[in-house]
């Protein structure tokens, strides 16, 4: 049995909790996180869900994702999901999400992290993940079109790849000029 904090529209905790699998009241929201790991070659670490998993069985997905449980900060939930699903320990305590996407029942914080990961060193959670691999943007988009990847908006996948090395929504000419110096 899993419990989540209930948030209001302004993303403030209400002091109430919600049991996974029950319906949220109108005006109540919960926090979800996703972490996308990229390597130096610009590929994203993706996972294939188990065939017996409820929802999106056997499909490929971005690195990890899941709901924050009672008491979790966004960063704590991100670190917990990374360790639970693929056995990767990263310190994200001082990291803000690159993006937050609102959805009908909550807030989805998305972390974009560049780090080298040896796939053979990962410990996959048997109840959730059957395989991992590196994939470039084109491969992920191809899998979405084939129906073998969770059907994210293709523009969202492109945005994740575009944003992986930057913060904010405005291109900074100063950063580009200073990197030339």
């Amino acid at each position: 049995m899993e419990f989540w904090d209930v948030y209001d529209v302004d993303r403030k905790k209400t002091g109430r909790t919600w049991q996974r699998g029950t319906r949220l009241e109108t005006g109540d929201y919960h926090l979800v996180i996703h972490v996308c790991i990229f390597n130096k070659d610009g590929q994203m670490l993706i996972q294939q869900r188990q065939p017996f998993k409820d929802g999106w069985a056997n499909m490929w997905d971005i690195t990890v994702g899941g709901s924050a449980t009672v008491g979790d900060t966004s960063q704590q939930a991100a670190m917990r999901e990374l360790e639970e699903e693929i056995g990767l320990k990263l310190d994200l305590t001082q990291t803000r999400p690159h993006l937050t996407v609102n959805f009908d029942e909550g807030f989805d914080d998305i972390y974009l992290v560049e780090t080298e990961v040896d796939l053979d060193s990962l410990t996959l959670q048997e109840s959730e993940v059957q395989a991992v691999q590196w994939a470039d943007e084109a491969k992920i988009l191809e899998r979405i079109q084939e129906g073998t990847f969770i059907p994210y908006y293709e523009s969202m996948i492109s945005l994740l790849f575009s944003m992986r090395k930057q913060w904010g929504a405005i291109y900074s000419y100063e950063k580009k000029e200073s990197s030339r110096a």
Side-chain angles (χ1 to χ4, degrees), residues 9 75 134 143 168 178:
V9 70
Q75 293 85 352
W134 293 106
R143 284 187 170 159
S178 66

Side-chain angles (χ1 to χ4, degrees), residues 40-123:
K40 68 180 181 320
D41 297 325
Q43 298 170 311
M44 184 191 297
L45 179 59
I46 61 173
Q47 66 157 282
Q48 187 177 26
R49 296 167 65 88
Q50 289 286 10
F52 49 80
K53 183 92 172 104
D54 284 340
W56 314 114
N58 245 6
M59 295 187 81
W60 288 93
D61 195 359
I62 59 182
T63 311
V64 299
S67 292
T69 57
V70 170
D72 277 349
T73 64
S74 176
Q75 293 85 352
Q76 289 168 330
M79 292 185 300
R80 179 179 42 76
E81 289 294 334
L82 275 168
E83 190 169 355
E84 282 179 5
E85 291 188 15
I86 62 171
L88 182 62
K89 292 183 183 184
L90 289 180
D91 182 2
L92 300 175
T93 55
Q94 299 300 311
T95 305
R96 294 180 297 155
H98 273 73
L99 303 162
T100 298
V101 177
N102 295 314
F103 62 99
D104 289 343
E105 294 182 339
F107 315 96
D108 192 351
D109 283 350
I110 302 170
Y111 294 83
L112 308 176
V113 178
E114 186 169 322
T115 189
E116 293 306 308
V117 175
D118 175 9
L119 299 186
D120 294 329
S121 72
L122 298 177
T123 303

Side-chain angles (χ1 to χ4, degrees), residues 16-36:
R16 294 180 287 119
T17 60
W18 174 54
Q19 184 179 340
R20 180 182 188 149
T22 59
R23 286 194 66 81
L24 278 168
E25 299 289 324
T26 302
D28 286 349
Y29 304 93
H30 77 287
L31 176 61
V32 174
I33 63 85
H34 279 93
V35 181
C36 300

Side-chain angles (χ1 to χ4, degrees), residues 139-150:
K139 184 65 173 175
I140 293 172
L141 295 176
E142 177 185 309
R143 284 187 170 159
I144 289 172
Q145 292 164 4
E146 298 172 342
T148 60
F149 203 98
I150 291 178

